[in-house]
Amino acid sequence: MRSRKLFQGACLLLATAMLAHGEYGRPVLTRGVGLDQKLNSQIPLNLVFRDEANQSVSLGSYFKTKPVVLALVYYRCPNICNVTLSEMVTGLRRLTLQPGKDYEVVVVSIDPSETPELAASKKANYQKEYKKAGFNEGWHFLTGTQDSISKLAAAVGFRYRWDERTRQFVHAGGIMIATPKGLLSRYMYGVQYAPADMRMSLVTASNNSIGSPVDQLILFCFHYDATQGKYTLAIFNIVKLAGSITVLALGVLLYFLLKSKPGSPGPPERRWKEARHVR
């Protein structure tokens, strides 16, 4: 019981403070564990896994024309994995974007002993939570060999280990968003994913092929903070945008004031002609 509580406390610490890359000061249980950003790195799309229907699939089959949300978890995890998946469901459910149509979600187990049957059970549970169209087509729950898991984890910077005493995997909380070509575009840390951050991450990863003009305005006003794994307000862009709007508004106002001014003398040529006519 005591070791279980220690493990749960360590998982909570990782979920909220895993941005620190240094090892000093960490609990022994969490040392060597983390999620390192490898932005613009290529995900190895030739890796082979098994989907929830027990079909052999290459990772590249999910990377075609749409951005991909990638999560590394394990299905028997009693702690952070369930929270991660539930928060993903909650955040993505609130978007107008539809899985399978606008983006894909790929969930990969880091436990090579887990089976496609277990993956199918997990998918069925979260499909009930999602309660919207597209889940079955757009969400994919995979299992694989240790070799495929290790290569994928190393490529995306997901550092984890097995703890013999607690008989559980020690790992960090977080998800990744990749481009249709499999390049890592965004990392989102912890276990809470704001819908706005998720939407902007997907729009960016899609190279603006999804979303709306409003999304482009939002992306102009916010920038991705890699240290926090989320979007923050871009003050300088806001100032530039406000300045441009102010100049445009003043120009329009001046135009209408000059146009509607009574007794306007008109252009110089007209005044010269009128003067000659009087003489």
Side-chain angles (χ1 to χ4, degrees), residues 53-218:
N54 201 15
Q55 299 297 311
S56 179
V57 293
S58 71
L59 203 57
S61 63
Y62 305 111
F63 292 81
K64 294 179 179 178
T65 60
K66 298 180 283 291
V68 175
V69 180
L70 176 65
L72 273 63
V73 299
Y74 71 105
Y75 304 131
R76 286 192 289 254
C77 176
N79 300 296
I80 196 173
C81 300
N82 293 324
V83 180
T84 295
L85 293 174
S86 290
E87 287 295 323
M88 284 175 60
V89 166
T90 299
L92 293 171
R93 185 178 59 207
R94 295 173 62 183
L95 303 184
T96 56
L97 303 175
Q98 180 177 317
K101 178 184 177 182
D102 299 308
Y103 65 91
E104 303 283 347
V105 178
V106 176
V107 182
V108 181
S109 170
I110 60 175
D111 185 350
S113 71
E114 294 189 329
T115 64
E117 291 76 18
L118 181 56
S121 176
K122 278 291 182 181
K123 179 172 182 176
N125 290 339
Y126 289 109
Q127 186 169 15
K128 293 176 183 177
E129 286 190 27
Y130 191 72
K131 300 176 182 177
K132 288 177 64 178
F135 187 94
N136 190 55
E137 298 78 15
W139 284 66
H140 315 279
F141 288 69
L142 310 183
T143 55
T145 64
Q146 185 62 66
D147 182 62
S148 293
I149 294 168
S150 296
K151 287 178 178 177
L152 176 60
V156 302
F158 188 86
R159 294 183 289 116
Y160 69 101
R161 67 180 181 82
W162 172 257
D163 183 67
E164 190 63 36
R165 185 173 59 172
T166 60
R167 305 293 299 171
Q168 296 179 37
F169 286 97
V170 186
H171 63 92
I175 60 176
M176 294 133 276
I177 290 85
T179 69
K181 294 183 178 180
L183 297 177
L184 291 163
S185 175
R186 295 288 185 266
Y187 282 70
M188 300 184 71
Y189 288 112
V191 293
Q192 291 185 322
Y193 315 115
D197 285 347
M198 299 186 84
R199 183 182 181 93
M200 287 189 284
S201 295
L202 287 169
V203 171
T204 300
S206 74
N207 196 25
N208 302 326
S209 66
I210 61 176
S212 66
V214 175
D215 292 312
Q216 308 312 312
L217 178 61
I218 293 174

